[in-house]
Amino acid sequence: MSYEWIVNIIANNWPMFLRGAGMTLLISIIGTIIGAIIGLIIGVVHTIPMPERGIKKTVLKIVNFVLSAYIEFFRGTPMMVQAMVIFYGSALAFGIDMDVFIAAVFIVSINTGAYMSEIVRGGIFSVDKGQFESAQAIGMNHFQTMMYIVLPQVVRNILPATGNQFVINIKDTAVLSVIGVTELFFQTRTVSGNNFRYFESFFVACILYFVMTFTITLLLRRLEKRLDGPENYSMIGGLPMQVAKPDDTENKIKI
C-alpha cells in the first residue's frame, strides 16, 4: 500500500467521499427515526388485549397476522434483495417510477421497523406487570397506559438497541448501491474505477465508516448516561424539623 496514493486519492476526491458519507448519514438517520416510529406503533398494537368475542377480535387477529407477516418477511430477507424487489419490481409490476433517494429511505425504514418492532415488544414486556394493573385500577385504558406509563420507560430501555440499529443502518446502506444510491460505497467504487487503486480507495472508505459509527456510538453512550442521571441522589427541600438543644433536654430531666 502506498501512503502517497492514499493522500493523493483523498486530496483529489474528497468532495465525492464527503457527499457519499453525507448521503449515508442522511439515509441512516431518517430511516432509523421512521423505523423506530413504525416499531413503536407495531409494538403497541401487538400488546392490545385480545377481546373475548365479536368483530373486534376478528379485526385484531387480522391486523396481528399482517404485522407478523411483515416482520417475518423483512427480517428473513436481505436488504439488498428487498431493494431490488421494491425499486425495480414496483416499476415493472405497477409502473411506479420511484426516486432513488425516496426508495432508499423507504427500504431502510421498513427494514428497520421490522427489527425495531421486536425490540419495542421486548421493552414493553420488560416493564413490571404491576404497573399495568395499577394503571387499570385508576381507570386508564390500554393506550393511556402505553402513552403515559409504559412507553417513557420503554424508550429509555431500548435506547442501546436503537443506537445499535442505527450503526447497522450506516453500514447496511452500502447495499443500496445496487439501485444507484450515491452513498459512500457507490462513491468509493467510482473513485477506485477511475484510478484503479482499489485497496487504497476502499481503505479510505473503511476509515470513514469507522469514524461515523464510532462517533455515533460515543454520542449515544453520552445520551444514555445523561438520561440515567447522577449515580448519587441527595434529598433536597425536605420539611424543617425542630430539634431540642442538649441543654434544654437536661433541664427538663432535672425538673
Side-chain angles (χ1 to χ4, degrees):
M1 179 178 64
S2 174
Y3 294 101
E4 294 180 358
W5 266 105
I6 293 177
V7 174
N8 186 42
I9 288 172
I10 295 174
N12 295 331
N13 301 282
W14 67 266
M16 296 183 67
F17 286 115
L18 189 61
R19 284 196 299 270
M23 180 64 70
T24 295
L25 281 177
L26 183 60
I27 294 173
S28 301
I29 292 172
I30 299 176
T32 303
I33 293 174
I34 297 177
I37 295 173
I38 294 173
L40 284 172
I41 295 173
I42 295 177
V44 172
V45 172
H46 268 314
T47 56
I48 296 177
M50 184 67 67
E52 294 182 359
R53 63 176 66 88
I55 190 171
K56 290 184 179 180
K57 181 177 181 180
T58 304
V59 172
L60 189 57
K61 279 188 174 182
I62 295 174
V63 172
N64 285 332
F65 174 78
V66 172
L67 294 179
S68 298
Y70 155 73
I71 293 170
E72 296 302 327
F73 178 80
F74 282 96
R75 291 181 65 199
T77 55
M79 186 186 291
M80 180 181 291
V81 177
Q82 297 168 13
M84 298 287 285
V85 171
I86 292 174
F87 184 73
Y88 296 112
S90 61
L92 293 174
F94 306 104
I96 301 175
D97 188 13
M98 300 180 67
D99 181 76
V100 173
F101 176 76
I102 295 177
V105 172
F106 178 73
I107 293 163
V108 175
S109 299
I110 58 178
N111 184 276
T112 303
Y115 286 94
M116 287 301 302
S117 62
E118 293 300 296
I119 295 173
V120 170
R121 189 176 69 166
I124 292 175
F125 289 154
S126 67
V127 177
D128 187 73
K129 292 183 179 180
Q131 299 190 33
F132 291 90
E133 296 172 355
S134 300
Q136 292 177 357
I138 62 175
M140 284 187 173
N141 58 32
H142 179 73
F143 289 101
Q144 289 175 333
T145 304
M146 287 291 168
M147 184 65 64
Y148 298 109
I149 297 178
V150 178
L151 288 184
Q153 301 177 64
V154 170
V155 171
R156 170 61 190 88
N157 293 338
I158 68 172
L159 186 59
T162 305
N164 184 56
Q165 188 63 41
F166 183 26
V167 172
I168 291 174
N169 286 341
I170 291 176
K171 297 180 291 183
D172 284 353
T173 52
V175 305
L176 298 175
S177 61
V178 297
I179 61 173
V181 180
T182 57
E183 40 72 51
L184 182 56
F185 179 82
F186 184 93
Q187 298 283 21
T188 306
R189 192 171 59 180
T190 303
V191 171
S192 62
N194 292 333
N195 55 33
F196 297 102
R197 306 293 296 194
Y198 292 94
F199 183 79
E200 290 84 352
S201 299
F202 280 97
F203 181 79
V204 174
C206 181
I207 297 299
L208 290 174
Y209 276 115
F210 174 76
V211 169
M212 288 189 290
T213 55
F214 186 70
T215 303
I216 293 298
T217 301
L218 290 180
L219 292 175
L220 289 172
R221 286 178 181 173
R222 176 164 292 189
L223 178 61
E224 291 174 25
K225 290 182 180 179
R226 185 158 188 160
L227 291 176
D228 286 338
E231 296 181 359
N232 299 321
Y233 295 89
S234 58
M235 299 297 293
I236 60 175
L239 295 175
M241 298 179 63
Q242 295 182 351
V243 181
K245 295 181 179 180
D247 296 339
D248 295 339
T249 304
E250 292 178 0
N251 294 332
K252 290 180 179 180
I253 294 174
K254 290 179 181 180
I255 294 173

